[in-house]
Amino acid sequence: MYDTARRVALVRQRVRKNTRRRQQHGIYGLSAACMLLFAVLMQAMSTVVRPGQTAAWGVFGAMLLREDAGGYVLVAVVSFAAAAAITALCMRFRIRENRKKGGTGKPDPQEQEGKTT
């Protein structure tokens, strides 16, 4: 039979393990969503961009000045907007989770490393 201090330590260890597992599931879900978004953008790019000259001699930035390069710019802007939105959502979810736990929004460095006393 364990004493109270040992039980509390075991419970804290289990909570850290479950939290880590939940975070990993979230990471896997976000990775899958990013891969799906990448596939969708690749399909969109293949329908928007027309075949033609794909290289600019001399200055590579001049490629975006061609009249049929609008598809590349569109895909880049949509990709950036999607990445910014996903980042903002992840930050909001993390802040909300920390508030539910009663935290200050910043994780304890000792808990991150698993060095609780």
Side-chain angles (χ1 to χ4, degrees):
M1 198 144 197
Y2 297 123
D3 61 339
T4 304
R6 178 70 177 150
R7 285 186 203 152
V8 169
L10 288 172
V11 168
R12 286 184 179 169
Q13 181 181 5
R14 186 171 293 155
V15 166
R16 280 193 305 270
K17 184 178 178 182
N18 288 338
T19 302
R20 194 174 307 124
R21 185 179 299 145
R22 194 172 341 124
Q23 288 173 349
Q24 285 179 345
H25 285 298
I27 289 171
Y28 295 148
L30 287 174
S31 297
C34 287
M35 291 302 290
L36 180 67
L37 179 64
F38 175 74
V40 167
L41 287 174
M42 289 302 291
Q43 286 296 324
M45 189 172 78
S46 67
T47 59
V48 173
V49 177
R50 296 183 305 233
Q53 180 183 1
T54 59
W57 293 279
V59 181
F60 292 107
M63 183 176 164
L64 296 177
L65 297 176
R66 292 185 52 225
E67 61 186 48
D68 61 344
Y72 292 109
V73 175
L74 175 67
V75 169
V77 169
V78 170
S79 298
F80 177 78
I86 289 172
T87 303
L89 285 174
C90 289
M91 290 175 62
R92 279 191 179 179
F93 287 143
R94 184 171 184 174
I95 290 170
R96 184 181 303 161
E97 183 177 320
N98 285 338
R99 284 185 185 164
K100 284 182 183 178
K101 291 180 181 178
T104 60
K106 295 183 180 178
D108 185 18
Q110 290 180 348
E111 283 186 11
Q112 282 185 336
E113 296 174 6
K115 297 180 182 176
T116 58
T117 55

